[in-house]
Amino acid sequence: MSIPHQSAPPGRGRPLPRALAALGLSAALLAPAPAFGSTDSAAPEEGSPAGTDCVVINEAFPNGGSGSAALSHRFVELLNTCETAVDLSEWSLQYRARTSTGAPSSTVELDGEIEPGGHYLIQGGGNNGDGAALPTPDAQTGVAIGAAAGGTFILATTSETLEELPLDSVLEHDQVADLLGFGTTNTFETAPATAATNTTSIGRTEGVDTDDNSADFTRGEPSPTNAAGETLGATDPAEPDPAEPEPTDPADPEPAEPEPTEPATPTEPSELEIAEINAALDSDGEDRPVTTRGVVTAVYPAEQSFNGFYLQTAGSGGDVDLSSHETSDAIFVYSPAAISQELVQIGDFVEITGDATVYFENPQIALYPGSTQTPHHELALIEDEPFEAVKPASLEVPENARQRESLLGMLLDPQGSYTVTDHYTLNQYGEIGIVLGEEPLINPTSAFRPGAEAEALAAQNAERVIYLDDAASTSWQGWSDDRDEPLPYLSIEDPIRIGAEVLWQTDVIMDYRFEEWRLQPLGKLTPETAEQVQPAQFENTREGNESPAERAGDLRIAGFNVLNYFISLGEDEPGCAFYTDIDGNPTTNDFCDARGAYSQASFERQEDKIVTAISGLDADVVALQEIENSRYFVEDGDRDRALAALVEALNSAEGTAGTWDYVESPEEVPADEDVIRNGFIYRTDRVAPEGDSRILFEDGIEDLDQEAFAGLDLEEIFSNAREPLAQEFTALGGGAEESEESFLAIVNHFKSKGGSGSGDNADTTGQGSFNGDRVRQAQALVAFADALEEEAATGKTFLMGDFNSYEMEDPLQVIAEAGYANLSAQTGGYSYMFDGAVGSLDHLFASEAAAADVVQTEIWNINSVEPLALEYSRYNSVGTLLYSPDQWRSSDHDPILADLVLSGSEAPGDGDEEETPEHEAWSSGAVYTNGDTVSHEGGVYRALWYTQNQEPGASPWSAWSQVGAPTACAGETWAQWAPSSQFDGGETIVHDGVSYTAKWHTRNQEPGGRYGPWEESGSC
C-alpha cells in the first residue's frame, strides 16, 4: 500500500495535551522536545509563495452554531504579521477531521489581500444556534469546519486540496503557511492546542508563532475581526457558579482544588438512588447536589488516571435482564481528596454528598469533602450497617449503545467468546479493540460488493467494537513525556494478535470516553499492578504459524510488500526530518524522498526482519512491492541497487553466495516513476528468468499486439501508481519439457486509497479515493497479460501484488471477469488490517491454466495481525523493548504464497490407469490433489490442495473439505454443514433442522450465530 510511513491506518486519537489543557498547563512546559527533528534549521524554501512567513492563523472558534454557543457560526481568523500586504488569491483554508489520515475534507478558497497588520475572517457553517452573528466575513463556506473534540486547520498556499498531509507534527511543508491542530487531533505543530468551548475560542498570543500549537494558543473570549477591522462588542459569557468547581473530565488528572473567594449557598441535596441520579441527569441535564449510597467497585489514582472511584448500588448487578434494565446502577465519583487521602478502597460501603453532573457525556458526581468552596460535600464510610455486596453483571457485553449505556459504570463479568479485532492504538493509548464472537470484524467490501449490504456491515462493525483499556491517560505518542512508560498488556513474550481469543481474568467496568465504549480494569493497569488488575490475557495464535505450510509442489511463488525497503537513508538526504525513539535517536523518515529508515542502525533492524520473513517463505520466486527505486538515489542511476542489496542480504543469511538473484530491469523504463517500485527475486537453483522483464508503459510494449491496448492511455493511467512488471520464469530440474514448465508472473502495486479525488476518483462508494484509477489500472493489467500470453505462447499467468482493493471492489471484478481466479481469496484468509477490520489488499490471481497447476495457497499471517508496536519503525519507542529480528511484523502486509505442480512434470497421483470407485477409501500413504474425493469413517471429503497423510476430519483447517450428507429440508435437499466444509458464498446447507445460506467465503464458522457468514433461510 503506497502510503508514506507516517501515514499509518487511523486509530482513535486522544493526545496528552487534552489532559494538560484541563489542568490549565501548557504542553510546552511539560513535554520534552518532540519526536521530530531535522538536519537543517527551518527556513522558507526557495520559490515559496510570498507571505508564507507573514500570515498566520490567529484565532479559531470551531464550536459556533451549537445550541449554547456564544456565536452563530464557526470561524477562523488570519493575521498578517508583516509590514507588506499579502495576496491570498491562490490560497485556501483547509480542514481535516481529528482522526482522519487522508486529504482534508473541506477546502475554502480565499481571495483578495490581507493588509499589513490586518485580519481576514473566514466563516464556517453553524447548527442553527442562537449565538451572536459574526462581522461580515471575507470568505465563507456552509460546511461546519471544526469540531468540539478537535481537528486541524491548514492555511495552504494553494487552492487545491492537499492530497498528502503527514500525521503528527508538521513544521515544514512547501504548501502550508500555517497549521493549527487542537483538541484530540492527530496533526499539529509540535503538540495540539487545547480545544475551544462553546463560549471561548482559541487564540494566538500577539501573533507570536513558535511552531508549537499548545504554547501559542490559549482559550479566550471570541473576537472575530474581518479585513475591514469590524469585530464584536464585548461578550459576557456566563461564568460557572463559584460555589461549584468546574467538573473535570474523569480521564484527566486534577492538580489542585480551585479556591473561589465567595462560595455560594448550595441547594439542599436530594437523597437519591444512583439509578435515580442517572435518570434525572438524563432527563434534564441540570447539575444538582445529591446524597447517595453505594459500594466502591473500582479506584483510580490521580497520576495519569481518573482521580476518582466508581460507586454502585449495594446488591445490584448479577443476572441483569437487558430487555428491561434501562438505567445504570453505578456512577463515577470524581474526588481528588478521596484519592489523595486514600479514603476509599474497593468493597467499601459509603454515603456521599456531592454535585451530580454530566461531563464529556458521562454522568459523574464531583466530590470535594472538606473544601471551603463546597461545604455541603461529605464522604462517610458506613461500618455499622450490613449491606449486600455488588454482584458483577454476568452477561454478554451488549453491542448497541442503548444497552451499553444502561450498564455505564457497572461491574461486569463478560460471558461468551471475545476476539481481538484492533490493536493499532495499543502502543499509543494502551487500548485493544475486541468484539463478541470468534472472528475479528471483516472489512465491508471484503464481504460484500459496494452498496447497501457493505454500508450496513460498516455500521454494524462500528457498533460492535469495544475497547479493552488500561484506565490511564498515559500517551505513548511521539511528542509525549510518557513514552518511556512500559506498555500494558503487550510484551515480547506475550503477543496480542488480531483474531486471538480474549481470556478473561477479572471483572471490568463499562465505560465511555473519547467517543468509544470501553471496558476498564478495576484500577490503573501498569506492570506493577498487572497481577491484581489486568482484566485479560490473550490466546497465543503464533503457535503453529511460525512457518507457512510445508511445500506441496514443484515450485513455490510468493508476493510480499516490504514496507518501504530503502537502502538510501534519511541521514544522507539534506533537510530530511525524522522520528525518534525515547532516547532521541532517529528511527524513520518523516515525509522525505527516502521513505524508510533514517539511520544505518534502523535500516539493519528493518532488513533483519525482512530477510527472516523472506527466508521463512521457502519460495522460489518472490514478487516484491515497496522497494526503493534506486535510480533516484544513486549517482549512476542504477535502478536495481536496492534489489541487489536485498539479494546480498538473503545470500548472506543462506551462507551461500548466488543462491538468490534478482530480475534485472528492462532496457526500456518509464521516464517518470515513483520512488518505490515493483521487483522480482528468485532462487537460482530452482527457476530461471526466460527473456527480459517488461514494464507496462508505452515504449515498453511497442512490440506487443497493440490491439490489446486500444483506448488505454498508459501514461495517464499509471501516473499515480507503480507500473506492472512482468517476467516469464522456467522451472529447473523438473523433468518436463521447458516449454511446458514456464509461467508468467506480473507484479503490481495499484494507486492507494488515500488522498482526495474527484469524479469517479471521489470516495462515494466506500472503496476509498481513486477507485476509478484503480479500475483503469486493472483494465490495463488485463490487456498487458493478454498480450504477454500471446507473445510467450503460454496461458499460465499469475497476477500478484498489492492491488489496494478489497476482495469485492470494482478493480478486482475487472480481473475476475477476465477469467482470473483469486486464489488468495479462496483461502478465506486476510492479508491486511485497517480501522479494526480485516481484509485483503494483496492478492494472487491465476489464469485458468495457471490455477490448474496450483495445489496449495496460503496467506502467511505474520504481519497484519501483529501489533504495530513490534515494527522496526517503533524500535525503543515505548518503555517496553518489543523489537526482535524475527518475521513478526516485518511489514504491514502479509505475504501470499502458492505451490505449483507444473504441467508436464509427474504430478503426484498421475499414471493410475485403473478406475477407482467414486469415493475410494482414504489411504494415509496416498497423495491427493485438488478435487480428489475420498470416503473416511462414514464421511465423504474433497481435497482442496495437495495432501498426503492428513486424515480427513482430523482438523477443520486441513486439506480436506467434508461433503455434507444430502438432507431433505422444506421440500428441498441440501448438504449438512460440517466444520471442515468450505463454502464460497451462495451455498445453502442444513444445520440443526434449519437451512442457512452462506453470505461469503466461510469455513469452520458454525451457522446460528448472531453475526457471521450465515443467513438463516428457513426451518426444515
Side-chain angles (χ1 to χ4, degrees), residues 57 59-78 93 95-97 105-106 108 120-153 182 196-202 222-225 232 515:
I57 297 172
E59 185 180 2
F61 186 59
N63 297 41
S66 60
S68 58
L71 302 177
S72 62
H73 290 77
R74 296 163 170 81
F75 76 81
V76 173
E77 176 196 290
L78 310 181
L93 179 78
Y95 173 73
R96 183 161 77 179
S105 58
S106 301
V108 185
Y120 190 98
L121 184 64
I122 304 151
Q123 174 177 297
N127 300 328
N128 299 317
D130 56 2
L134 300 180
T136 303
D138 303 299
Q140 61 182 317
T141 177
V143 177
I145 52 174
T152 302
F153 291 115
F182 61 95
T197 71
N198 281 351
T199 58
T200 61
S201 63
I202 46 176
S223 57
T225 306
L232 298 172
E515 301 180 0

Side-chain angles (χ1 to χ4, degrees), residues 191-345:
T194 182
T197 71
N198 281 351
T199 58
T200 61
S201 63
I202 46 176
R204 190 183 294 275
T205 305
E206 297 181 355
V208 174
D209 187 2
T210 67
D211 285 341
D212 183 345
N213 292 157
S214 67
D216 294 343
F217 285 84
T218 56
R219 288 178 182 170
E221 189 173 311
S223 57
T225 306
N226 62 17
E230 299 168 341
T231 187
L232 298 172
T235 59
D236 186 20
E239 295 292 337
D241 184 346
E244 299 179 7
E246 182 178 353
T248 304
D249 183 350
D252 298 331
E254 172 71 14
E257 297 176 6
E259 293 292 342
T261 55
E262 297 182 2
T265 303
T267 305
E268 187 69 21
S270 303
E271 293 189 10
L272 299 170
E273 295 287 338
I274 292 174
E276 293 175 322
I277 296 171
N278 285 325
L281 290 171
D282 287 344
S283 62
D284 58 28
E286 293 292 328
D287 298 354
R288 62 185 64 206
V290 296
T291 298
T292 193
R293 289 183 169 196
V295 180
V296 176
T297 57
V299 178
Y300 305 104
E303 184 179 1
Q304 296 178 325
S305 190
F306 304 158
N307 212 3
F309 57 93
Y310 274 100
L311 196 66
Q312 185 167 337
T313 300
S316 63
D319 296 326
V320 174
D321 183 355
L322 291 176
S323 65
S324 58
H325 184 79
E326 297 182 352
T327 307
S328 172
D329 295 302
I331 194 166
F332 181 75
V333 180
Y334 178 76
S335 186
I339 297 304
S340 64
Q341 300 174 45
E342 299 183 0
L343 300 180
V344 296
Q345 61 184 7

Side-chain angles (χ1 to χ4, degrees), residues 858-909:
E858 181 181 356
I859 300 176
W860 189 23
N861 290 138
I862 57 173
N863 297 322
S864 68
V865 298
E866 294 279 344
L868 176 64
L870 276 59
E871 206 170 274
Y872 90 97
S873 62
R874 269 53 176 190
Y875 176 82
N876 197 32
S877 65
V878 300
T880 310
L881 188 59
L882 297 168
Y883 175 83
S884 180
D886 52 28
Q887 69 272 38
W888 310 117
R889 195 68 191 195
S890 51
S891 176
D892 52 345
H893 296 246
D894 289 321
I896 300 175
L897 60 89
D899 289 343
L900 320 180
V901 175
L902 295 175
S903 303
S905 61
E906 181 123 353

Side-chain angles (χ1 to χ4, degrees), residues 504-544:
W504 296 106
Q505 294 181 288
T506 71
D507 300 332
V508 290
I509 297 289
M510 176 67 81
D511 187 37
Y512 182 84
R513 64 189 68 224
F514 301 107
E515 301 180 0
E516 297 287 357
W517 287 98
R518 302 173 182 276
L519 299 174
Q520 300 287 1
L522 306 186
K524 178 186 175 184
L525 177 58
T526 67
E528 292 73 27
T529 65
E531 188 172 344
Q532 292 76 38
V533 306
Q534 181 166 318
Q537 292 183 337
F538 304 90
E539 173 193 13
N540 185 356
T541 59
R542 282 183 179 176
E543 296 176 356

Side-chain angles (χ1 to χ4, degrees), residues 342-376:
E342 299 183 0
L343 300 180
V344 296
Q345 61 184 7
I346 292 175
D348 284 350
F349 184 40
V350 299
E351 179 175 289
I352 65 172
T353 299
D355 293 311
T357 186
V358 175
Y359 194 70
F360 278 89
E361 302 182 69
N362 280 292
Q364 71 174 36
I365 297 174
L367 178 63
Y368 296 85
S371 172
T372 57
Q373 64 177 351
T374 55
H376 61 295

Side-chain angles (χ1 to χ4, degrees), residues 935-975:
S935 61
H936 184 62
E937 295 185 351
V940 176
Y941 296 84
R942 176 174 57 88
L944 298 175
W945 54 75
Y946 177 100
T947 178
Q948 183 179 25
N949 198 29
Q950 280 186 299
E951 183 180 3
S955 165
W957 301 110
S958 76
W960 294 104
S961 172
Q962 185 167 352
V963 180
T967 304
C969 179
E972 300 287 347
T973 300
W974 312 110

